[in-house]
Amino acid sequence: PSSACQQQADTHPALWDEPWSSKLHHVLGHDLRETAAGSANGPSDETVNAIVRSFDSVRQDVRRGLIFAVIAISLAILTATAIWFWQSARVERDAATANLISAQAKLEFEDARNTLPLSVKLAREAAWRLLDHERSNSEAFGVLLAGTRLLPDAEIDQLELPAPVAQVLQRTEFGDLLLRLENRALCSASHSVRNLYCIDTSRTNTHIAQIPRSAAFAVSDESGKLCMYFANPDTAPRFLHCEENLPMEFGSDPGQETTAWFILDNGRMIAYSDDRICSWKIDESAALSAQTCQLFSALDAVVPYKDNSILVMRNNRACVYEVIEEGIVPSIEAPTFCIPVIGRIVGVSAGYFVASADDGHVSIIDLASLKSQEYAIPFVAQVALSHDLHVAAIRQMPQASVRNEVLLVDLTTGQERGRLRHDGRINAVEMLPGRPYIVTRSGASYPSDGTVSLWDVRTGREVTRFAVEGPVVALAILPGDSGRIAIAVNPEGATKPKLELWPFRRSEHEILPIQKRVVSSRVFTFQDGSVVLVGERERSCAYRVGDTGTPRCVTHTDTPVRLTLQGAERILSISTQETGQRLCSASISVGAAAALECPLNAPTEVEALSHNGRWLARRANEQVCIRTTDTKDQSQEKCLPGTARARLVTDDGRLLLTDRNPDGEVIYDIDKSRAILRIPAFQGDWEFTEFTTDNRYVALANSEGDYNSTVVRVYDTTYGTEVSQTTLPGRVLSMSFGSDDILAIGVEQGGAYLWNWRKNTMVARMSLGYPVQALSFDKNGRLLTVAGSRTQPYTELQRWSASYQALFSDSCGKLPESLESSELERYGIFDAPRFVCSKGSGFDEQGSAF
């Protein structure tokens, strides 16, 4: 024993009194007891080494424990951080969702109809937050889309007025406006230079009318006197003279929307009383001359009819009279001289329809057939009639209309087509001359919602809404291409009356006047704009987007199997002939329709055309052969093996999609004459196919069962793999690839879908209410939609923003301000990043108008 051992023995004498094996067990435990007991001379070297290693293991365990403790603490911190970020993201999504709900409520004007800009800002904030969290949201897209469409394109011009407006009169010759104010004032407002000039007439005026083809106008006052004024856009109206010694008074009751005098389009002044009608010629100095008066017993009312004709109502009959210098004589040009009416005349479409009403009914008479349609609508105040559209808009008296709506009636079928609704009482209905639009206003009568709406009379949908601060008491449609509506507003309180000039977007919602059933249609986009090609049963027409001129048409005796446009001036068609399907063509003429020509030397058995009209696929010797459509190009055809039918040729002539293969669809590389992709056969029918512009991907729509659903699949033509698929209700009628991996899909059930096929997410759904027969993206990221309804005799063209970026840009271009923090807090959003219309946001702040 060494001195160290002796020291241990002295320190722990009790241990050395026991057997050494027991002492070892006391120190190390049971694991080494058996080993130590086997040695009579004490622990072996192996046992001692095991003891030492056990102490080293303890030290290592301590270090491992410390390491794991640090890791556990780090994981706890990371977990807490992740939970915090997740919670923050959830709060952001919740805030965006609440924001979106508020935007929807504001957009639908459930709270107030004056908050449209706020609705667009809320929707913009919501859409941006949801996109920031990689969550495409169809509702946000829809709200932002609808809100942006309702915003005006240009700045709203406003002129403050010295008194409330009572009447606005449009000035067609000089482009200015004449206003009658409530405080005996007459004003001239120029919308081009934004000037306002007024004079005091020293009398209470009741009605104002312009003298055609002159700068003068006539004004009546409460005493029945008629005075003449001269209008000039650069100065205030100038008094000319008052008419004296007239045989009758020029009465008017603005509150009842009636007047006992008016000026015909041929420039003759008409006034009437209980028993006579008088006529005057207005000379160059605006003086009345060549007076003629004629007695009429039991005279009820007189209304203007045509250029030189009036409609005289008495004894429940309305008769057409011509006003000439010799007197007032029965019209010989009217299809029917007299027609039966009820009560009072409330609407006239010269030569076509006359509407009359009593306290409980309204009657509309077709002058061509003398057939009458009656509707049980009480207290009708006005009926706006459109002969071209065969539509009547029926408005009740403001005090009688509890539903605050205008009834649209189809004059062909007599059935109700729809209702135009306001939140307040509707005080006026006005058709836009030469356009399929109608304007309604809610203004003078309480309650007023302070809005003017522009409606499409064919669909009954609202195109544009103008929200103002106060009751709208008068409006006028400005002439020319300015596309503006003059709205007179009389706010309550300290705010001054105003005249607001609002732009309305006529190109937003184009209607193509096609009266045949549409069998095919497609949109083509060229450098100079977009052209819509529409095929009917007997003709095919090309319409330029935004152009209201005559369409360019060609006629054909049979229904084309395929239609396309070669360039912007030539139509190509595959038509069924006795000798097979032949290629026909014609130059698009202006005005009269040219005939499709199908020459004998044209390719026969044509099965497919490329969208751009440059390539065709035809059958020759039981093979599919590809060649150009240019007859001057004598290049050799390239034929492919197999008996499959050609379906679609790409615009560059490289790829051909075939069908009717027993093994499914096949895509051929024409240059290499081999199949590059075989798509397995699926049950059902292939409804529609489309290639991307670079031919890298192809989309195929497959209807299953009884067409209750359609599966749309996207394939990679390079690797032959399926990239993505989605299922839509009903049949797919059209598809078009756009930017940002968006595929637009038109369905028969009345709508279009925007599908991000790369992420397999549905970005948005556009509800249109009719089958979407064709759609196409233009080069600016807009989606052009053409639809030929199977239940209504017209085709409609709509233009939509097709991406969030386009919507953000469009809304920022027209509404550059963002929501303030205080406004966001009202909708439960605190300390959150905000969308700001600036270059830093990554969006083009210029925007682009439709």
Side-chain angles (χ1 to χ4, degrees):
S2 64
S3 58
C5 292
Q6 184 63 43
Q7 184 179 0
Q8 288 293 329
D10 295 339
T11 306
H12 303 285
L15 290 176
W16 293 102
D17 293 338
E18 300 178 16
W20 73 267
S21 59
S22 300
K23 299 179 180 65
L24 186 63
H25 169 70
H26 181 79
V27 176
L28 298 179
H30 179 73
D31 294 338
L32 296 178
R33 186 171 183 180
E34 298 297 330
T35 303
S39 176
N41 299 317
S44 63
D45 293 339
E46 182 181 356
T47 302
V48 173
N49 291 333
I51 295 172
V52 174
R53 285 195 304 270
S54 67
F55 279 105
D56 291 337
S57 176
V58 170
R59 287 192 295 271
Q60 293 175 2
D61 290 341
V62 172
R63 286 195 297 270
R64 292 192 187 98
L66 292 175
I67 293 172
F68 283 121
V70 173
I71 294 175
I73 295 173
S74 301
L75 288 175
I77 295 175
L78 291 175
T79 302
T81 304
I83 293 175
W84 183 84
F85 278 116
W86 176 84
Q87 183 72 9
S88 176
R90 187 185 64 80
V91 170
E92 275 293 294
R93 288 194 295 269
D94 291 345
T97 302
N99 199 352
L100 176 61
I101 293 173
S102 300
Q104 288 175 313
K106 294 297 182 184
L107 184 66
E108 295 169 0
F109 300 97
E110 295 174 353
D111 180 38
R113 297 177 74 128
N114 299 341
T115 55
L116 179 59
L118 178 60
S119 173
V120 176
K121 292 179 184 179
L122 287 169
R124 191 165 60 195
E125 289 277 348
W128 178 65
R129 294 171 194 278
L130 292 170
L131 281 179
D132 190 49
H133 292 88
E134 297 182 353
R135 286 186 57 189
S136 298
N137 191 287
S138 180
E139 287 77 15
F141 187 97
V143 172
L144 186 56
L145 176 66
T148 303
R149 288 181 68 237
L150 293 178
L151 285 175
D153 279 331
E155 181 182 355
I156 303 168
D157 300 329
Q158 296 191 18
L159 300 172
E160 288 192 353
L161 304 175
V165 178
Q167 183 183 355
V168 174
L169 179 68
Q170 172 187 319
R171 287 280 300 162
T172 57
E173 283 78 6
F174 304 106
D176 58 344
L177 299 165
L178 297 175
L179 289 78
R180 178 174 64 86
L181 305 186
E182 291 183 354
N183 66 344
R184 306 183 303 178
L186 293 174
C187 298
S188 174
S190 173
H191 72 270
S192 58
V193 296
R194 306 182 187 179
N195 288 332
L196 181 71
Y197 304 98
C198 300
I199 62 169
D200 188 349
T201 63
S202 71
R203 55 175 58 88
T204 300
N205 305 307
T206 57
H207 187 66
I208 180 174
Q210 183 202 347
I211 300 174
R213 295 173 295 280
S214 74
F217 57 98
V219 180
S220 61
D221 60 30
E222 59 183 354
S223 65
K225 179 174 288 189
L226 186 72
C227 297
M228 303 296 182
Y229 294 82
F230 179 82
N232 191 312
D234 299 326
T235 60
R238 177 166 53 89
F239 172 75
L240 294 178
H241 63 271
C242 290
E243 295 291 335
E244 303 291 345
N245 302 321
L246 295 178
M248 63 178 59
E249 295 181 350
F250 286 71
S252 179
D253 187 354
Q256 297 296 324
E257 303 178 0
T258 61
T259 179
W261 67 273
F262 51 86
I263 302 175
L264 292 175
D265 291 339
N266 64 353
R268 294 194 69 87
M269 176 80 72
I270 302 293
Y272 66 93
S273 60
D274 294 337
D275 58 355
R276 59 181 168 172
I277 303 174
C278 293
S279 166
W280 295 269
K281 178 182 178 181
I282 306 177
D283 59 25
E284 296 180 355
S285 63
L288 302 185
S289 61
Q291 171 185 316
T292 60
C293 293
Q294 191 165 330
L295 294 176
F296 287 86
S297 61
L299 185 63
D300 294 324
V302 179
V303 296
Y305 187 63
K306 293 177 90 170
D307 291 342
N308 63 338
S309 301
I310 58 176
L311 203 59
V312 178
M313 182 175 173
R314 54 178 182 154
N315 298 324
N316 293 327
R317 293 175 64 84
C319 302
V320 182
Y321 287 85
E322 290 185 3
V323 181
I324 57 179
E325 291 189 7
E326 291 77 11
I328 302 173
V329 298
S331 174
I332 59 176
E333 296 182 357
T336 303
F337 175 60
C338 293
I339 56 174
V341 294
I342 60 174
R344 62 196 181 282
I345 296 177
V346 291
V348 174
S349 176
Y352 301 108
F353 300 100
V354 172
S356 59
D358 57 17
D359 291 343
H361 296 80
V362 59
S363 174
I364 302 176
I365 298 179
D366 187 335
L367 298 180
S369 62
L370 292 183
K371 292 183 179 180
S372 174
Q373 297 178 4
E374 295 192 8
Y375 305 92
I377 303 176
F379 305 108
V380 171
Q382 178 188 4
V383 177
L385 297 160
S386 172
H387 165 67
D388 294 333
L389 304 176
H390 287 268
V391 170
I394 303 174
R395 176 179 70 88
Q396 290 178 286
M397 294 179 181
Q399 293 79 5
S401 178
V402 296
R403 294 186 299 268
N404 303 321
E405 60 191 13
V406 171
L407 185 69
L408 281 183
V409 174
D410 192 316
L411 294 176
T412 302
T413 63
Q415 301 298 315
E416 178 182 330
R417 180 177 290 185
R419 301 192 178 195
L420 317 180
R421 291 181 171 88
H422 278 253
D423 288 344
R425 287 173 175 167
I426 300 176
N427 297 88
V429 176
E430 185 171 348
M431 290 278 187
L432 265 69
R435 303 288 294 176
Y437 299 127
I438 190 171
V439 177
T440 60
R441 70 172 171 90
S442 174
S445 300
Y446 181 84
S448 166
D449 62 18
T451 62
V452 172
S453 292
L454 183 71
W455 308 83
D456 191 316
V457 296
R458 304 195 198 198
T459 63
R461 287 199 298 268
E462 187 178 49
V463 179
T464 304
R465 176 174 293 174
F466 314 108
V468 297
E469 298 178 358
V472 179
V473 294
L475 61 85
I477 311 298
L478 271 63
D481 297 329
S482 61
R484 288 176 178 260
I485 296 179
I487 301 174
V489 185
N490 294 342
E492 298 177 357
T495 307
K496 291 185 177 180
K498 293 182 296 183
L499 180 68
E500 299 188 357
L501 302 176
W502 285 73
F504 64 87
R505 307 172 65 179
R506 295 181 296 177
S507 61
E508 172 74 31
H509 200 124
E510 294 291 341
I511 298 294
L512 307 182
I514 299 172
Q515 301 301 321
K516 303 284 187 178
R517 187 175 73 88
V518 174
V519 296
S520 63
S521 55
R522 189 165 183 85
V523 181
F524 298 84
T525 303
F526 302 100
Q527 291 182 351
D528 59 345
S530 298
V531 174
V532 182
L533 179 63
V534 180
E536 306 173 36
R537 287 182 176 176
E538 298 176 357
R539 68 172 186 168
S540 299
C541 297
Y543 298 81
R544 291 192 176 274
V545 174
D547 186 5
T548 58
T550 304
R552 301 186 175 192
C553 302
V554 297
T555 59
H556 40 78
T557 57
D558 54 2
T559 300
V561 181
R562 297 282 191 276
L563 272 175
T564 189
L565 207 60
Q566 188 179 45
E569 303 296 331
R570 193 168 189 81
I571 288 179
L572 296 181
S573 167
I574 302 177
S575 297
T576 302
Q577 306 289 324
E578 293 181 358
T579 57
Q581 293 186 167
R582 186 180 297 275
L583 182 66
C584 306
S585 64
S587 296
I588 305 173
S589 60
V590 179
L596 275 173
E597 298 178 357
C598 307
L600 293 177
N601 61 349
T604 58
E605 290 296 325
V606 180
E607 295 180 347
L609 285 172
S610 63
H611 290 327
N612 60 5
R614 294 181 56 190
W615 302 90
L616 63 85
R618 74 183 188 96
R619 183 154 298 279
N621 300 324
E622 297 302 322
Q623 289 183 319
V624 176
C625 299
I626 311 300
R627 55 160 289 183
T628 66
T629 56
D630 187 359
T631 57
K632 297 179 181 180
D633 189 351
Q634 302 297 325
S635 59
Q636 186 178 0
E637 289 183 331
K638 295 182 179 180
C639 298
L640 302 173
T643 60
R645 306 289 295 183
R647 186 179 184 96
L648 181 63
V649 184
T650 57
D651 284 348
D652 59 4
R654 274 195 54 236
L655 303 182
L656 171 68
L657 176 66
T658 66
D659 61 3
R660 300 185 184 176
N661 271 321
D663 298 331
E665 306 288 319
V666 178
I667 296 178
Y668 287 93
D669 187 315
I670 299 172
D671 293 334
K672 299 178 181 179
S673 297
R674 65 181 180 86
I676 62 173
L677 175 61
R678 294 184 183 274
I679 302 172
F682 297 97
Q683 293 182 354
D685 298 326
W686 289 113
E687 293 294 336
F688 206 85
T689 56
E690 189 73 10
F691 283 94
T692 56
T693 54
D694 60 0
N695 301 338
R696 175 67 186 277
Y697 301 95
V698 61
L700 298 97
N702 171 225
S703 293
E704 299 179 346
D706 54 355
Y707 303 106
N708 287 330
S709 65
T710 298
V711 179
V712 179
R713 297 176 174 89
V714 176
Y715 292 90
D716 189 322
T717 60
T718 302
Y719 298 101
T721 56
E722 181 179 319
V723 179
S724 185
Q725 70 169 268
T726 188
T727 302
L728 298 175
R731 300 179 63 180
V732 168
L733 303 180
S734 54
M735 291 193 299
S736 180
F737 279 100
S739 58
D740 302 326
D741 301 327
I742 296 297
L743 177 65
I745 307 171
V747 297
E748 187 177 31
Q749 278 67 23
Y753 294 85
L754 296 182
W755 176 43
N756 188 316
W757 52 270
R758 186 83 66 177
K759 297 181 179 179
N760 197 16
T761 57
M762 197 61 65
V763 176
R765 180 183 186 275
M766 302 175 182
S767 179
L768 302 178
Y770 46 72
V772 179
Q773 288 188 310
L775 45 77
S776 176
F777 284 96
D778 66 7
K779 297 179 181 180
N780 296 324
R782 306 285 184 180
L783 176 65
L784 303 181
T785 301
V786 180
S789 176
R790 298 181 180 179
T791 58
Q792 295 175 337
Y794 61 86
T795 289
E796 182 178 76
L797 168 65
Q798 291 198 52
R799 312 178 76 184
W800 303 80
S801 295
S803 66
Y804 279 102
Q805 182 168 345
L807 283 173
F808 282 132
S809 175
D810 206 17
S811 65
C812 285
K814 292 176 290 186
L815 196 63
E817 301 85 5
S818 298
L819 285 172
E820 298 295 334
S821 299
S822 57
E823 292 180 289
L824 288 173
E825 291 175 0
R826 292 177 53 194
Y827 300 97
I829 304 173
F830 301 91
D831 300 327
R834 297 168 47 222
F835 176 84
V836 179
C837 286
S838 66
K839 293 182 179 180
S841 64
F843 297 104
D844 178 16
E845 61 181 327
Q846 297 297 323
S848 58
F850 280 105

